[in-house]
């Protein structure tokens, strides 16, 4: 039996593509060796970012490596967490709300803990800071992947799960043949989103101030930021250009082929209306080298699967069962102890918080909430007409969609310095500027969902309203808004999550050597992280998490349920 | 041929806990023996727990009480000698036909050649040669189910279980596949020693199996076991066939005498999921045909399956519009009046009948007229119903009651608020 990779076997000639692939493999190899040699070096407190553009490729590669390792970590974590959560009702009841909370905690709040722990673990070595950076990127990309995997495996149809039992699959087979393929589409989409999120937080993770100490790692994020700090727009644009180029290359060579390939894991057995194409995938399918690798991979996996039935069929063994049960209880106790210890520690940290601080936090929360809503409102004002226009006009969609996609792929944080320059020239402070920065990061979620919603409105409904001469506001009220409502709600939920996360990087910006900030929860978190005021950091993080989860529960979830029941087009 | 007991169920009971320690019984007192060389069909309406029974036999679901013996040994988990064919086919869309069939053979400890050989043999057996490398999405529904059957046969099971295997197929395709399975069975080409088929289609059971086990619903109990000894291929127009059909139709429909008995036993009245419009359609049709029809003839004339027509008939029986005798559906006087009445009169007759005969509607009216604002959340009734039905069934029950109550203009329902209310509270006196 093969693993689910199939590639047409017609061509056995060595093509030009094979030579290209050879060089790609060579490139990857030297890349790994280079990274290893770099990260092993001792850490100097004052890493200088050399702005000479000839250094850009080297920086870009290092950043890419961080994102890559963070992604691998995220994937592993997602699968482990998803499985554990679906093991029993109790696991599910604890772990899924926990995920909700973890997701609402901004990346920067993890920063001090992670960085200090890693530096303590590898004193004086750069790898400590590298690992910290990777872990930070990880906290920015892991949650949606975990949700996706968990959701996929818990929606596997009952009869498919019964097949696994009737035909006596072991755990490995079940993972390989059912769970992984079933979750592939969602996992790949979310991987794409997560990696995009990785670029978004790269600047914050590669260069930051903690307890008034300056931490820097060589990378494209720190390059752009350093260039911006020196006010060198030319170098900012070089850095930005490289980053965008990298993102486009990744999209073309990894994500698009993966998405096309993953179509074979669609669960509905009806062929899709429109076959997606990937020119790169077509190219690769013709390669004899790739075919050999796929065959080798297939055979190895099959051998491992066969072996797994012989060597690891321990699950029936009562001793093993009891042992694993005891292990489970022990790990549960350890987790509980860690939680208690953390709470005691946290209480110690918070104990020196004054009443004034709490007032500050509440005020800051109010300002941030206001900014999030204004940002959503502004996003709505422009994305609604544009999205509906694109969605209802297939011809416009063809041209505009790819433009929009490229625009959306640019990580907003990287554009911040440029935008800031303009804002400063215009004279509006960060109070209002922050809203624009948040807007940059969140409007795309809305736009994409509105486009999807508008193009899903049934043709006959559109024709009927035309036949009855329904126009203008009435057309919006009777046809368009109810039609796109479920998509609109989904877009708003994602956008609001993104906006909250963006408060961290938009309310507190270091630019041109000085720090600009405005009143807000995000600013408070960044500030307390930079100055090492961990009590304040903890409390403001809790407050943000509470606000985000609260709004999710009280507002978005209700709207979502309404969207799913009343406004669903059957 | 000697008769060996392959599988036996002893006093099986299956119930689900629903809030506050109340439980709902799905299956009760199931004692069933499956012998070798037997093709048993388990017949019942939806909700009779027949699929649950099949899953208990397969070792997929544990019974609440009682046990399953496979060749005299208690069955705890899925057994490699018992294979299942699923209603939804449950194929892996990312595997080819061949890979799908091989799925069950990987863990047995065969080498690659043996696996391949067995899979090819099973594919040939169900007539899919040439499609080995096709993906399920390239195949028609009938061919997909053939893959499902091949997958089950490839492991050479002793007992083959089939859960409504033809109900997702169109009529012609289903007939064709049934014929092929009967051929394999009587020619002795089936690797399985016995087959258990779960179905709601009486004709299907009669044309295929050697014994029919009839389950009633709420709770699922074995009501009758009927040996079917007609020679294959079975002539559906023969007198014997029709006699058996009528017999089973009559068994499957609960007689009205049973209902008060069930109520007395503390069981809540089960409302069949029938919309008023459909009930009216049925009653008028039967009235046009002289007030008495053969249910089987009716269902084939309307090309409706048992699952579609039984709820209508049962609803008519509950509402006292009709009764069932010897496989025939006969209108009562009230039913005839209803058929002849105009729209407004119809509503009046229905209202009286519903208030008299339908426990849930009576209860709703009582609650609505006692509460001062005459408005109650649907959740209130759902909570009551959950004491007697599964959560899903509770919603079905309330949905049916709302449909009936709205038609009779007894009460109204506010979808957005999820509330039931009286429109003109003063005019209703209970």
């Amino acid at each position: 039996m093969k693993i689910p990779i199939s590639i047409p076997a017609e061509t056995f000639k060595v093509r030009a593509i094979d030579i290209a692939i050879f060089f790609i493999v060579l490139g990857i190899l030297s890349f790994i060796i280079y990274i290893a040699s770099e990260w092993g070096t001792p850490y100097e407190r004052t890493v200088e970012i050399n702005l000479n553009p000839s250094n850009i490729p080297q920086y870009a590669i290092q950043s890419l490596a961080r994102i890559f390792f963070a992604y691998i970590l995220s994937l592993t974590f997602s699968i482990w967490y998803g499985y554990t959560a679906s093991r029993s009702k109790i696991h599910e009841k604890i772990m899924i709300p926990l995920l909700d909370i973890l997701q609402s905690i901004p990346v920067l709040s993890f920063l001090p803990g992670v960085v200090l722990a890693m530096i303590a673990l590898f004193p004086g070595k750069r790898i400590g800071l590298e690992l910290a950076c990777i872990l930070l990127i990880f906290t920015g990309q892991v949650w949606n992947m975990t949700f996706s995997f968990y959701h996929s495996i818990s929606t596997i149809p009952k009869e498919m799960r019964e097949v696994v039992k009737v035909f006596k699959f072991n755990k490995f087979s079940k993972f390989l043949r059912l769970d992984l393929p079933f979750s592939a589409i969602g996992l790949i989409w979310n991987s794409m989103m997560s990696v995009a999120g990785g670029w978004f937080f790269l600047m914050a993770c590669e260069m930051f101030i903690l307890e008034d100490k300056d931490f820097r790692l060589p990378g494209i994020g720190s390059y752009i930021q350093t260039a911006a700090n020196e006010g060198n727009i030319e170098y900012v644009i070089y850095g930005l250009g490289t980053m965008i180029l990298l993102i486009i290359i990744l999209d073309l060579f990894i994500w698009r082929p993966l998405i096309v390939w993953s179509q074979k894991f669609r669960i509905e057995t009806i062929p899709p209306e429109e076959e997606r194409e990937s020119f790169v995938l077509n190219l690769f399918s013709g390669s004899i080298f790739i075919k050999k690798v796929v065959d080798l991979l297939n055979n190895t996996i099959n051998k491992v699967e066969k072996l797994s039935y012989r060597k690891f069929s321990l699950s029936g063994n009562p001793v093993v069962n009891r042992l694993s049960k005891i292990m489970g209880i022990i790990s549960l106790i350890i987790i509980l102890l860690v939680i208690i210890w953390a709470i005691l520690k946290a209480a110690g940290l918070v104990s020196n918080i004054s009443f004034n601080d709490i007032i500050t936090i509440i005020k800051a929360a109010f300002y941030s909430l206001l900014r999030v809503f204004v940002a959503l409102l502004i996003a709505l004002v422009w994305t609604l007409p544009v999205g509906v226009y694109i969605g209802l006009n297939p011809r416009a969609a063809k041209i505009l969609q790819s433009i929009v996609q490229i625009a959306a792929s640019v990580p907003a944080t990287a554009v911040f310095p440029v935008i800031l320059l303009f804002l400063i020239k215009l004279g509006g402070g960060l109070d209002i500027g922050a809203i624009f920065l948040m807007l940059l990061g969140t409007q795309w979620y809305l736009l994409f969902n509105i486009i999807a919603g508008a193009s899903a409105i049934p043709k006959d409904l559109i024709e009927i309203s035309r036949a009855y001469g329904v126009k203008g506001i009435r057309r919006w009220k009777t046809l368009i808004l109810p039609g796109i409502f479920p998509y609109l709600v989904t877009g708003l939920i994602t956008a609001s999550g993104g906006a909250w996360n963006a408060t961290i990087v938009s309310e507190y910006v270091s630019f041109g050597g000085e720090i600009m900030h405005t009143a807000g929860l995000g600013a408070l978190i960044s500030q307390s992280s930079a100055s090492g005021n961990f009590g304040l950091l903890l409390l403001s993080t809790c407050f943000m998490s509470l606000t985000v989860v609260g709004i999710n529960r009280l507002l978005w979830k209700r709207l979502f349920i309404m969207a799913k029941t009343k406004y669903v087009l059957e | 041929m000697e008769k060996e007991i392959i599988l036996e169920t002893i006093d099986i009971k299956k119930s689900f806990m629903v809030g506050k320690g109340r439980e709902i019984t799905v299956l009760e007192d199931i004692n069933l023996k499956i012998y070798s060389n037997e093709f048993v069909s388990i017949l019942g309406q939806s909700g009779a727990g027949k699929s649950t029974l099949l899953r208990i036999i397969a070792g997929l679901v544990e019974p609440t009480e009682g046990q399953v013996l496979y060749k005299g040994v208690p069955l705890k988990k899925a057994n490699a000698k018992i294979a299942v064919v699923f209603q939804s086919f449950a194929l892996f869309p990312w595997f080819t036909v061949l890979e799908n069939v091989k799925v069950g053979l990987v863990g047995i400890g065969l080498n690659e050649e043996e696996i391949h050989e067995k899979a090819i043999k099973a594919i040939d057996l169900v007539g899919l040669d040439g499609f080995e490398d096709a993906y399920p999405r390239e195949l028609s529904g009938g061919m997909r189910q053939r893959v499902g059957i091949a997958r089950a046969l490839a492991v050479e099971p002793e007992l083959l279980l089939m859960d409504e295997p033809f109900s997702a197929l169109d009529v012609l395709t289903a007939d064709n596949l049934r014929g092929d399975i009967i051929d394999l069975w009587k020619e002795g080409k089936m690797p399985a020693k016995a087959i258990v088929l779960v179905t709601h289609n009486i004709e299907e059971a009669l044309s295929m199996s050697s014994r029919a086990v009839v389950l009633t619903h709420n709770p699922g109990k074995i009501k009758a076991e009927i040996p079917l000894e007609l020679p294959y291929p079975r002539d559906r127009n023969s007198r014997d066939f029709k006699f058996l059909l009528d017999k089973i139709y009559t068994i499957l429909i609960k007689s009205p005498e049973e209902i008060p008995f069930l109520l007395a036993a503390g069981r809540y009245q089960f409302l069949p999921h029938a919309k008023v419009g459909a009930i009216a359609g049925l009653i008028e049709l039967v009235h046009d045909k002289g007030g008495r029809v053969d249910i089987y003839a009716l269902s084939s004339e309307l090309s409706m399956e048992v699952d579609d027509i039984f709820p209508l008939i049962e609803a008519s029986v509950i509402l006292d519009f009709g009764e069932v005798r010897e496989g025939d559906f006969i209108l009562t006087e009230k039913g005839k009046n209803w058929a002849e009445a105009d729209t407004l009169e119809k509503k009046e007759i229905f209202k009286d009948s519903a208030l008299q005969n339908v426990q849930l509607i009576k209860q709703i009216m009582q609650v609505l007229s006692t509460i001062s604002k005459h408005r109650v959340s649907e959740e209130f009734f759902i909570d009551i119903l959950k004491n007697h039905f599964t959560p899903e069934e509770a919603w079905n029950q309330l949905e049916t009651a709302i449909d009936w109550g709205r038609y009779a203009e007894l009460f109204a329902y506010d979808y957005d608020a999820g509330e039931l209310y009286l429109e003109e509270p003063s005019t209703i006196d209970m």
Side-chain angles (χ1 to χ4, degrees), chain B residues 241-395:
Chain B
F241 196 92
K242 284 196 165 157
F243 171 78
L244 285 168
L245 261 176
D246 281 348
K247 186 168 165 185
I248 295 176
Y249 267 110
T250 316
I251 295 171
L252 268 177
I253 293 193
K254 267 197 180 126
S255 58
E257 296 86 62
E258 263 180 278
I259 293 164
F261 166 74
L262 286 176
L263 290 179
R267 290 209 191 279
Y268 205 87
Q269 181 185 35
F270 176 83
L271 285 188
H273 312 154
K275 296 268 186 238
V276 177
I279 302 171
L282 174 80
I283 299 287
E284 278 165 30
L285 182 78
V286 175
H287 187 61
D288 286 347
K289 289 182 176 298
R292 179 177 185 135
V293 287
D294 183 272
I295 299 172
Y296 167 58
L298 187 72
S299 73
S300 47
E301 185 189 322
L302 299 173
S303 58
M304 281 171 98
E305 294 238 35
V306 177
D307 263 18
D308 303 323
I309 203 162
F310 270 18
L312 301 181
I313 291 177
E314 281 191 345
S316 311
V317 172
I318 286 177
L319 288 163
D320 195 22
F321 291 160
E323 55 186 348
V324 174
R325 238 180 281 148
E326 293 145 7
D328 284 2
F329 178 57
I330 308 155
L331 292 190
T332 57
E333 276 312 306
K334 204 192 250 179
K336 283 179 192 157
N337 289 340
W338 198 51
E340 283 162 7
D342 64 31
T343 314
L344 283 180
E345 286 168 0
K346 256 200 167 78
K347 281 186 187 258
E348 278 304 311
I349 298 172
F350 191 91
K351 181 172 158 184
D352 290 343
S353 201
L355 276 176
Q356 219 168 55
N357 299 310
V358 182
Q359 190 181 1
L360 181 53
I361 288 186
K362 262 190 268 184
Q363 201 166 8
I364 291 173
M365 289 310 291
Q366 255 156 21
V367 173
L368 286 178
S369 48
T370 7
I371 282 180
S372 56
K373 55 179 179 164
H374 304 296
R375 204 174 235 284
V376 175
S377 159
E378 59 190 355
E379 300 287 344
F380 176 81
F381 296 107
I382 289 297
D383 278 346
I384 297 176
L385 289 167
K386 274 186 187 164
N387 287 328
H388 308 277
F389 303 100
T390 59
E392 198 195 340
E393 187 53 55
W395 284 103

Side-chain angles (χ1 to χ4, degrees), chain A residues 375-416:
Chain A
L376 286 184
L377 209 66
I378 296 174
L380 210 54
V381 165
W382 86 263
T383 55
L384 205 55
V386 173
V388 168
Y389 174 77
I390 296 179
L392 290 181
N393 294 281
R395 230 178 300 151
K398 263 202 179 137
I399 307 161
L400 289 175
Q401 204 139 19
S402 45
I403 295 174
V404 166
Q405 258 163 11
I406 291 175
S409 73
V410 179
T413 42
V415 198
F416 279 8

Side-chain angles (χ1 to χ4, degrees), chain A residues 1-2 158-160 162-163 165-169 177-178 181 264-267 269 306 309 566, chain B residues 55 60 78 84 86-88 90-95 99 102-103 106-107 112 135 137 144 151 416:
Chain A
M1 204 180 300
K2 286 187 297 183
K158 185 173 140 236
E159 296 205 328
M160 299 275 265
E162 287 175 340
V163 167
K165 283 193 205 156
V166 165
F167 296 106
K168 304 208 134 275
F169 283 31
R177 312 238 168 258
L178 181 65
K264 81 183 265 156
F265 303 114
R266 269 175 305 123
I267 192 68
T269 30
K306 284 243 170 64
Y309 278 95
K566 194 173 169 185
Chain B
R55 278 167 176 73
L60 290 171
V84 183
F86 294 92
Q87 179 174 14
S88 67
L91 302 177
F92 296 96
W94 39 86
F95 288 154
E99 287 163 349
K102 281 180 177 178
V103 144
V106 173
E112 191 55 48
Y135 283 95
R137 66 173 63 94
R144 280 182 213 159
R151 176 175 64 188
D416 290 328

